Amino acid sequence: MIDLHVHTNVSDGQFSPAETVNIAAETGVRILSITDHDTTAGVREGLEAAGRAGITLIPGIELSTDHHNELHILGYFIDIDNPKLIAASNGFGEEREERAERIFKYLWGKGVNITEESVYRHAAHSRLSRTHFAKALIEAGYITDFADGFRKYLSNGEFKLIDSPKYSAGECIDLIRGAGGAAVLAHPYTLYEDAAGLERIVRELKAAGLAGIECYYSSHSRKQTALYLALAAEIGLVATAGSDFHGIYVRPGVSIGTGTGRLNFTDESVVEELYKAR
């Protein structure tokens, strides 16, 4: 199996990079990419673990853009020592720290009585993310699950007013390509566009250097997958696959390699196509 979209506790996942690689190997994944949010800090540990486990790990990242919906760009085969990428990642980290302070004040202002300690203890050595806040909110009884937390507090209109400034999609693609990588549109269903709107966006991204679309994904329906595959073929983009695994505590029902049960992607030629598209 191939899984090109997983997260570790270096961003908002449950397991360390080494643990994530070991879970992948035990599940039958042969080619994996760690794509933590805005950082490659876990890739080196993942590469070492992959060498021990006998699987291939592709250095990756996932970048959030300033598009009005959740437009994320995945980067593959990137040079994790690229100075511009490191500088941008450090900047993202500093902004996340500042955002964390704004989130605490925002939640306290809404009468949510959680402590900084209750959130930070979920982050281990990673940067604070909305997932860490959601865990604390669940434990304190303010929400029932992650979806409830994002709907009530962490992804609504009020939250977006305090969210971090982000790069444009074109800037994210340039950053990935500048680090020797291939840029891929992540989970296109989150754009909530009709077929015409999605095609317009994807063509604009292709002109900016986009190499692929994540057609096979845990939350995509068969109809959506077929739409994205047709679009990728028409525009000339690589069709990739990823589970968006975070761990069962963070994202229940999504397993590494198989997603919600039917991902099971095995076409290794996609990896070669991505490499050539850098």
Side-chain angles (χ1 to χ4, degrees), residues 77-128:
F77 296 106
I78 52 178
D79 174 10
I80 61 174
D81 294 317
N82 178 268
K84 288 187 177 179
L85 182 64
I86 291 172
S89 181
N90 289 340
F92 295 142
E94 291 170 4
E95 175 51 39
R96 278 184 179 269
E97 291 177 5
E98 294 173 5
R99 184 185 73 161
E101 295 179 11
R102 297 195 297 271
I103 295 175
F104 278 116
K105 292 178 181 177
Y106 157 71
L107 291 173
W108 292 336
K110 298 181 75 66
V112 174
N113 185 25
I114 59 171
T115 65
E116 293 185 9
E117 189 278 332
S118 71
V119 178
Y120 273 99
R121 67 187 180 83
H122 292 293
H125 60 284
S126 64
R127 301 159 175 172
L128 276 193

Side-chain angles (χ1 to χ4, degrees), residues 218 247-248 251-255 258-261:
S218 296
I248 56 174
R251 189 161 290 183
V254 175
S255 299
T258 57
T260 55

